[in-house]
Amino acid sequence: MSLKEQAIKGAIWTYIQQFGTQIVNFVVSIFLARMLIPEEFGLIGMIAIFMGIGNTLFDGGMTSSLIRSDNLENSDYSTVFIFNLVVSIGVYCIVFFSAPLIAEFYKQPSLTKITRFYCLSFIFSSFGSVQNTMLTKTMNFKKQALLSVPAIVLGSTVALVMAKQGYGVWSLVGLTLVNTFVLSCFLWITSSWKPTLVFSLVKFKKHFKYGYKLTLSGILDIVFTNIYQIVIGRFFTPTTVGYYTRANQLMMMPIGNISTALNKVAFPIFAQLQNDEMRLRDAYKRIMLLVLYIINPITVLMLVLAEPITVLLFTKKWLPMVPIFQVICLSGLLYPLHLYNLLILQVKGRSDLFLRLEIIKKVLLTIIIIISFYYGLYGLLWGQLFFSIIALFINTYFAGKMIGYSTQNQLLDMLPLYILITFVGSTIYLIDTYIFNNFTDIIRLALSLVSGLTLYVGLSYLFKVSCLSELKNIVLRK
């Protein structure tokens, strides 16, 4: 099977997995948002940072090292498995004993028990992390999809039953615990590989040397990705955190899933091309532009239609999140660019540079947060967008140098797509405001979405946008 065929097949099954799980998650979240109150989502949002750090520690750099390394032996996998398990237990113990301090920091006593139960997922996930990595390395995304979708369905069923019975925030805890436990069980049962009690110090040093910098970078990223939940939770209210968390999750539903799905396919493919700069640059450019072509219209239409989307999905009690959501969507337009530029650093084995850049960016973000905090919640949100723009120039500069694709050239290649979607978004905003505004929310949304996508595809065809032909060829498997 050619590299292109592998990419297409991998992308299809990755999307089935990614969107299968996320569609279930999204539908369930709609029901939960209607049954629960924003404050209960806010409580979970306050401890999201600990979930992120835990997952990064045992599913970050070491597993990435396995994906990019050749001639692996059982001792490689067993060493990483043992390390992941020990680290997950250690991190959970730290979180368990720190839970009262976390609750005191946020002035929410209920967080002690919530944190202790919620973070059990660290240990559950660690049991299946290496098996999942092996599937990624071999690009067996079909199996990943067939295992992950049933797991999330079971977790979602438990969450809905608990919410219906009045368990409140604990239904969200149950969702995560059941999902991670069942998925790890599925991975363990169906995998032909089983860990042995072999811990090779040589193998550990090899993978740790590459992986620890990525892990530290990942932790920094998680801390600062969730820094807004921390600041908002400490100085505002759980309800405000709930609005921010729900807005961010809604934005990441299409953006994060499309980008992450292609990222899973792109990383092993880029790894195979890491020594061929021309082919790597070409593959990077094509994937990046295609992702932007798919994501941009979705993001802009969500921004323009934020109010009817919110009311239709979550009811009017969530209306205060609309302006928060719109600012977050602006930052979301740059998300794929960050992701794929940083992927180049990983593929090239420059985890040292990856870490240094993350430290520099986080220092800048800290300064921006301190300044923007004095302008309230929306000052923080606009500061987040400003930081994203600065970080984009940093990422594209260093990644571009490695593949001969400068920041200027990247921006010039992307500019036509951003001009196109800005025009489409502005047009739909005017049509929705002056023509569709008097219709019911569902009709208003349907008419606006159909009009927007028709205009987008029509203009793409008229101006011969290459991404449209690329997408057509992928769909037709050419």
Side-chain angles (χ1 to χ4, degrees):
M1 186 182 295
S2 69
L3 195 61
K4 181 178 179 180
E5 290 173 332
Q6 281 184 298
I8 293 174
K9 183 178 179 181
I12 291 172
W13 279 106
T14 301
Y15 279 125
I16 291 174
Q17 175 198 359
Q18 198 75 23
F19 284 99
T21 56
Q22 289 302 318
I23 286 173
V24 174
N25 263 329
F26 186 63
V27 172
V28 170
S29 72
I30 292 174
F31 286 103
L32 291 176
R34 289 171 171 267
M35 290 188 281
L36 306 178
I37 58 176
E39 179 181 351
E40 290 168 325
F41 284 90
L43 291 172
I44 296 298
M46 288 176 176
I47 58 176
I49 183 173
F50 304 106
M51 289 296 299
I53 291 175
N55 290 329
T56 299
L57 285 171
F58 59 77
D59 197 24
M62 297 286 277
T63 52
S64 294
S65 181
L66 291 176
I67 294 174
R68 73 180 298 275
S69 299
D70 297 321
N71 304 316
L72 295 175
E73 301 172 348
N74 181 64
S75 57
D76 290 272
Y77 293 113
S78 292
T79 297
V80 173
F81 176 85
I82 292 171
F83 174 80
N84 286 351
L85 181 59
V86 171
V87 168
S88 68
I89 294 173
V91 172
Y92 177 74
C93 290
I94 293 172
V95 171
F96 183 91
F97 291 108
S98 302
L101 298 177
I102 296 170
E104 183 179 349
F105 174 80
Y106 286 117
K107 300 178 182 178
Q108 299 293 328
S110 61
L111 278 180
T112 298
K113 187 179 292 186
I114 293 172
T115 302
R116 286 173 172 173
F117 276 93
Y118 196 65
C119 291
L120 279 170
S121 60
F122 295 164
I123 301 174
F124 297 160
S125 295
S126 67
F127 276 96
S129 62
V130 171
Q131 292 90 332
N132 196 48
T133 298
M134 294 175 76
L135 295 177
T136 300
K137 184 175 179 65
T138 58
M139 300 187 73
N140 192 350
F141 301 111
K142 177 180 179 180
K143 187 173 181 179
Q144 284 184 333
L146 295 177
L147 296 180
S148 60
V149 173
I152 191 62
V153 169
L154 288 172
S156 299
T157 302
V158 170
L160 289 172
V161 171
M162 291 179 68
K164 186 71 174 178
Q165 296 298 318
Y167 284 93
V169 69
W170 288 100
S171 59
L172 301 175
V173 176
L175 172 62
T176 298
L177 292 181
V178 174
N179 179 33
T180 53
F181 178 78
V182 172
L183 179 57
S184 288
C185 287
F186 285 169
L187 287 166
W188 188 274
I189 293 169
T190 60
S191 176
S192 59
W193 176 83
K194 294 295 184 292
T196 58
L197 294 177
V198 174
F199 188 88
S200 170
L201 191 58
V202 174
K203 302 291 187 181
F204 173 75
K205 288 180 179 179
K206 169 190 173 183
H207 297 297
F208 186 76
K209 182 179 180 181
Y210 171 81
Y212 86 90
K213 300 184 188 76
L214 288 181
T215 299
L216 291 176
S217 301
I219 292 173
L220 276 174
D221 187 59
I222 290 296
V223 169
F224 283 90
T225 297
N226 291 278
I227 193 69
Y228 287 92
Q229 281 101 313
I230 296 173
V231 174
I232 295 170
R234 181 65 179 84
F235 296 101
F236 295 89
T237 66
T239 300
T240 306
V241 179
Y243 291 139
Y244 178 86
T245 302
R246 174 54 53 192
N248 197 56
Q249 289 173 345
L250 182 59
M251 182 273 292
M252 289 299 291
M253 168 67 182
I255 296 174
N257 283 302
I258 294 173
S259 300
T260 302
L262 273 177
N263 188 39
K264 289 177 66 177
V265 177
F267 187 51
I269 290 175
F270 286 177
Q272 294 180 47
L273 301 175
Q274 60 183 292
N275 297 318
D276 189 335
E277 182 178 298
M278 185 176 296
R279 291 182 67 197
L280 177 58
R281 180 175 62 247
D282 181 63
Y284 166 79
K285 177 181 176 180
R286 291 172 67 182
I287 289 178
M288 180 188 70
L289 292 177
L290 186 60
V291 171
L292 289 178
Y293 182 78
I294 296 171
I295 287 178
N296 277 356
I298 298 172
T299 308
V300 170
L301 288 175
M302 287 197 305
L303 185 156
V304 171
L305 304 171
E307 182 180 334
I309 288 174
T310 300
V311 174
L312 181 65
L313 295 179
F314 309 123
T315 72
K316 290 184 178 180
K317 68 182 178 183
W318 287 89
L319 271 176
M321 90 170 198
V322 168
I324 298 174
F325 176 64
Q326 290 174 320
V327 179
I328 290 176
C329 280
L330 291 174
S331 298
L333 289 170
L334 304 179
Y335 178 82
L337 304 178
H338 293 293
L339 192 65
Y340 289 103
N341 275 279
L342 295 176
L343 193 63
I344 293 297
L345 300 182
Q346 296 180 49
V347 168
K348 286 292 188 178
R350 292 302 308 274
S351 55
D352 56 332
L353 178 59
F354 192 106
L355 177 58
R356 287 203 299 271
L357 292 181
E358 287 303 301
I359 293 173
I360 292 171
K361 288 183 290 186
K362 289 352 175 192
V363 170
L364 290 173
L365 178 57
T366 301
I367 295 171
I368 290 172
I369 288 175
I370 292 172
I371 295 173
S372 61
F373 175 77
Y374 289 98
Y375 297 94
L377 176 63
Y378 292 98
L380 288 169
L381 295 175
W382 286 107
Q384 186 178 18
L385 174 60
F386 179 65
F387 166 75
S388 185
I389 295 171
I390 295 176
L392 175 64
F393 282 95
I394 295 174
N395 292 336
T396 54
Y397 174 78
F398 286 97
K401 285 181 65 177
M402 293 186 178
I403 58 174
Y405 193 23
S406 67
T407 299
Q408 180 180 356
N409 288 336
Q410 290 191 51
L411 294 177
L412 286 174
D413 286 336
M414 293 182 290
L415 184 61
L417 294 181
Y418 280 104
I419 292 175
L420 173 62
I421 192 55
T422 299
F423 176 78
V424 172
S426 301
T427 302
I428 296 304
Y429 172 77
L430 293 174
I431 293 174
D432 176 68
T433 301
Y434 295 104
I435 300 177
F436 298 152
N437 191 46
N438 293 325
F439 293 106
T440 61
D441 289 321
I442 190 168
I443 295 177
R444 177 181 171 188
L445 275 176
L447 292 174
S448 296
L449 289 173
V450 170
S451 301
L453 294 177
T454 301
L455 180 61
Y456 186 66
V457 174
L459 290 175
S460 298
Y461 180 80
L462 179 64
F463 291 102
K464 295 181 172 58
V465 177
S466 61
C467 292
L468 180 61
S469 300
E470 185 90 19
L471 185 60
K472 178 182 177 182
N473 289 338
I474 291 176
V475 172
L476 298 177
R477 303 294 296 274
K478 290 185 178 180

